[in-house]
Amino acid sequence: MTTTLRTNATLDLGPAAALSCRECGNRTPLAAEFACAECFGPLEVAYEFGTIRREDIEAGPRSIWRYRGLLPVPADVDDHANTQPGLTRLIRADRLGAELGLKNLWVKDDTGNPTHSFKDRVVAVALAAARQLGFTVLACPSTGNLANAVAAAAARAGWRSVVLIPSSLERAKVLTTAVYDGALIAVDGNYDDVNRLATELAAEHEDWAFVNVNVRPYYAEGSKTLAFEVAEQLGWRLPEQIVVPIASGAQLTKVDKGFQELGTLGLVEPTPYRVFGAQATGCSPVSTAFRSGGDVVHPVRPDTIARSLAIGAPADGPYVLDAVRRTGGAIDDVSDDEVVAGIRLLARTEGVFTETAGGVTVATTKKLVEAGKLDPEAETVLLITGDGLKTLDAVADHVGPKATVPPSSKAVHEALGY
Amino acid sequence: MTTTLRTNATLDLGPAAALSCRECGNRTPLAAEFACAECFGPLEVAYEFGTIRREDIEAGPRSIWRYRGLLPVPADVDDHANTQPGLTRLIRADRLGAELGLKNLWVKDDTGNPTHSFKDRVVAVALAAARQLGFTVLACPSTGNLANAVAAAAARAGWRSVVLIPSSLERAKVLTTAVYDGALIAVDGNYDDVNRLATELAAEHEDWAFVNVNVRPYYAEGSKTLAFEVAEQLGWRLPEQIVVPIASGAQLTKVDKGFQELGTLGLVEPTPYRVFGAQATGCSPVSTAFRSGGDVVHPVRPDTIARSLAIGAPADGPYVLDAVRRTGGAIDDVSDDEVVAGIRLLARTEGVFTETAGGVTVATTKKLVEAGKLDPEAETVLLITGDGLKTLDAVADHVGPKATVPPSSKAVHEALGY
């Protein structure tokens, strides 16, 4: 645990009032801490919200900062250079819905973010909070989307960045992080080694904000903006069903938290909604726990093409089970072949090319409909959180030109069956 | 030239009133035509605009369709499934500005579009017009961004697509088009062969809309939305300088047209602005013509890493010269090394990873400032029109991890010079 670098007198994290332990409920002042001093449970941000009106949000920036009154950031957050993520498209998905058997389907397409994944949201919140907490370097351990988002956000803000990756990472992911010219360090070891190293470095450097380690409580809040945007884009209404991919599980629990906050604050009618979770079978500890009916999420060794979801010991696993069970949802998992089929189905029907995580979401949705878990009549939203350009290998053996022909219209006609 | 498939009685292209020859001014009814029957000059859309108010635009969709009253599309255009492109970020670029010597700089980041380039804009307009004109298949010859955009837009709309590419195209570009599952045809030949084949096929299939061939006049209008968004995002004001990359030149001329329309309609003060053009030296026919002071753009054989700008015989070349000279701008070109430096500079300073075309724009801007052509004090906008994820090879030999180390904090410290 690092110490608070600023005194509370100058610390302005907007409506954030304290950190609160998710296990024992113990409250502690806002600081760069992530584990409860009493019980070592994970800390999360607790708020004292002021009056927040729809029209103020609607008149705000075209980014997640329109919801700054609901986030642990100061009111002037957007005066500092930042990537301005969010407000991505929520699109009707009638063609996908027809294939899946869902009559009222929407896709939240988060590939439109600055580095093309939802990670830009959480990193932007982490950076804003880190600035208030007195940090000066943005850092993370990562195998992909988070590395891109941290390196880009730091570049835009004029901060130094330290990004730790396994040295075995694919070339494309290395390049798309290295181009931002931060301190990208390849570590000889697996992701667990890199993660341990990050925790060690966070303890040694009081000016380094590891977004998913020592400022994790603030970082995680950024995922609430997915819920806020979905509700606003539906016309200030909650969907009846939402399907969310599970990696650490933080996104799912924060989407749930976001819906609850909107209801509590009177920004939407607090209508019932059900939260569904999606995993790849090759890394499905939460799905397995859900199926068993238990509360314990047993760690697994990931083996799936859905690498951005491949967290074998998901920190928020138990809270995911709580949220899904409380709302009457379900969790399921799909094979790598189904993941690829999911990617292709979404691309073919809606023109959205997602990474493997999105394929997991689409394929799991299909499975949940077929099993009668998802109501075909209910308004449903799928969260598509990352971009297919980053995981081209997943589709490389499955798609290609219909034909290769000489440059004549006759040859084209033959190829097309005319 | 194909025939009009609908009678004019049912043809609804919104404010579009006729096609008009850019050479002889001859007007002809709206139809799927692209060349003047009198002089073979290129046709463009002429309008009869109604009253258009800022507040109506601001209350419109969060996409290019907020400007539908200024485009050749029907008022209900957004009722049909489409990719909803546009309304991408316009970001302050103070850090880039400091490096370039521009005191008031903005970057229009069009990588946030559905397939991550400005082509989504022009294709969306082409599809909407094509639907009105009675076409049922969306098609194009392309080497990259356009192929992605056409295949995705057709998938989303439930249209068939036919996309022709040179068979030598890089694997990544093939995959990102093929995933949408249209009829992707690889043609043994160069891009000129593919282009000729497209023109031949357009003449043979009256239901195939080749976006950049037989519906080109409508397609090209989509680029005006870049101008509209820049002006609205600046607070309904024109910038004093704008730098635009030149491929066919259509984008530059349409941005100019867009600014003029906003002034004429009273949506902005018609303040003076200067338009600047950027090319890669390896394909710089317009820059060469500008430098020579002449009006004729001599075709060249492209040889540059900026493939999305590599059009050796740019159709709008003479009109680019007109617009740049009329507004008091300039055109210049940069080497491939400068292109890479431009990509890296933008990434390092603003966290935006652009493709080679964006590198051309940044590097040419640098050159134009150094030559005293761009006024360092004037408000300036750079158009960044495509995504670095699509041209990774351009930076592959130039960026990478700072170090590869064993998993110890000591090793990280040494690598970072602590």
Side-chain angles (χ1 to χ4, degrees), chain B residues 100 278 333-335 337-343 345 357-370 382:
Chain B
L100 295 177
D333 56 83
V334 289
S335 71
D337 283 349
E338 289 172 303
V339 172
V340 173
I343 292 172
L345 179 61
V360 169
T361 301
V362 171
T364 301
T365 300
K366 183 166 187 286
K367 202 164 174 179
L368 288 166
V369 174
E370 288 165 359
L382 308 190

Side-chain angles (χ1 to χ4, degrees), chain A residues 136-152:
Chain A
T136 57
V137 176
L138 205 65
C140 71
S142 171
T143 61
N145 286 325
L146 183 59
N148 299 167
V150 163

Side-chain angles (χ1 to χ4, degrees), chain B residues 87-418:
Chain B
L87 223 61
T88 54
R89 302 182 301 165
L90 178 75
I91 59 174
R92 288 284 317 169
D94 292 338
R95 283 166 45 76
L96 177 62
E99 297 264 359
L100 295 177
L102 289 167
K103 294 188 182 146
N104 191 354
L105 181 64
W106 299 85
V107 163
K108 179 66 173 169
D109 175 13
D110 235 22
T111 67
N113 274 314
T115 69
H116 309 319
S117 86
F118 88 100
K119 291 290 186 186
D120 291 316
R121 300 173 181 274
V122 286
V123 168
V125 173
L127 173 59
R131 182 185 287 113
Q132 283 294 314
L133 292 164
F135 292 100
T136 58
V137 177
L138 205 64
C140 71
S142 170
T143 61
N145 286 324
L146 184 59
N148 298 169
V150 163
R156 171 101 178 111
W159 278 39
R160 288 179 52 218
S161 66
V162 177
V163 172
L164 308 175
I165 55 172
S167 56
S168 61
L169 199 61
E170 305 96 304
R171 175 175 158 275
K173 289 181 180 168
V174 174
L175 294 176
T176 53
T177 302
V179 73
Y180 300 108
D181 205 31
L184 176 63
I185 304 288
V187 178
D188 283 328
N190 59 27
Y191 183 65
D192 286 338
D193 296 324
V194 176
N195 233 334
R196 270 191 298 273
L197 179 57
T199 306
E200 193 180 332
L201 286 163
E204 290 175 19
H205 292 269
E206 63 172 23
D207 53 344
W208 291 15
F210 278 87
V211 295
N212 50 346
V213 181
N214 51 348
V215 292
R216 186 173 182 84
Y218 307 97
Y219 162 89
E221 293 292 295
S223 284
K224 292 192 308 186
T225 60
L226 281 161
F228 300 155
E229 290 181 18
V230 165
E232 182 182 351
Q233 290 171 323
L234 287 176
W236 294 108
R237 199 179 70 237
L238 301 183
E240 295 171 87
Q241 305 181 134
I242 188 163
V243 187
V244 187
I246 301 169
S248 76
Q251 183 176 83
L252 187 147
T253 59
K254 295 303 177 183
V255 165
D256 174 48
K257 188 181 182 190
F259 283 160
Q260 288 189 69
E261 286 176 352
L262 292 178
T264 303
L265 289 164
L267 289 165
V268 299
E269 282 294 310
T271 50
Y273 60 86
R274 297 197 291 153
V275 180
F276 296 80
Q279 294 206 297
T281 303
C283 182
S284 52
V286 189
S287 175
T288 303
F290 180 81
R291 200 176 297 123
S292 76
D295 288 329
V296 179
V297 176
H298 297 289
V300 301
R301 185 180 297 273
D303 179 17
T304 168
I305 59 170
R307 294 202 193 181
S308 61
L309 301 182
I311 297 183
D316 275 36
Y319 307 110
V320 167
L321 294 172
D322 288 349
V324 170
R325 287 171 177 152
R326 193 196 79 242
T327 63
I331 305 173
D332 215 328
D333 56 83
V334 289
S335 71
D336 284 359
D337 283 349
E338 289 172 303
V339 172
V340 173
I343 292 172
R344 296 184 65 186
L345 179 61
L346 181 63
R348 174 165 62 80
T349 53
E350 301 299 345
V352 174
F353 182 25
T354 182
E355 63 156 311
T356 45
V360 169
T361 301
V362 171
T364 301
T365 300
K366 183 166 187 286
K367 202 164 174 179
L368 288 166
V369 174
E370 288 165 359
K373 304 280 178 62
L374 276 163
D375 176 356
E377 309 286 335
E379 184 165 63
T380 304
V381 173
L382 308 190
L383 294 190
I384 300 300
T385 56
D387 203 291
L389 276 170
K390 298 195 194 176
T391 59
L392 282 178
D393 286 343
V395 297
D397 294 337
H398 302 272
V399 305
K402 302 285 180 211
T404 300
V405 303
S408 85
S409 67
K410 181 162 173 289
V412 171
H413 291 152
E414 281 172 10
L416 295 177
Y418 273 76

Side-chain angles (χ1 to χ4, degrees), chain A residues 121-134:
Chain A
R121 301 174 180 273
V122 286
V123 168
V125 174
L127 174 59
R131 182 185 286 114
Q132 284 294 314
L133 292 164

Side-chain angles (χ1 to χ4, degrees), chain A residues 324-406:
Chain A
V324 169
R325 286 172 177 151
R326 192 195 80 242
T327 62
I331 305 174
D332 215 328
D333 56 83
V334 289
S335 71
D336 284 359
D337 282 349
E338 290 172 301
V339 172
V340 173
I343 292 172
R344 296 184 64 186
L345 178 61
L346 180 63
R348 174 166 62 79
T349 54
E350 302 298 345
V352 174
F353 182 25
T354 183
E355 63 156 310
T356 45
V360 168
T361 301
V362 171
T364 301
T365 299
K366 183 166 187 285
K367 204 164 172 178
L368 289 166
V369 174
E370 287 165 359
K373 304 280 178 62
L374 276 164
D375 176 358
E377 308 287 335
E379 184 165 62
T380 304
V381 174
L382 308 189
L383 294 190
I384 299 300
T385 56
D387 202 291
L389 277 171
K390 297 196 196 178
T391 60
L392 282 176
D393 286 343
V395 299
D397 294 339
H398 302 273
V399 305
K402 302 286 180 209
T404 300
V405 303

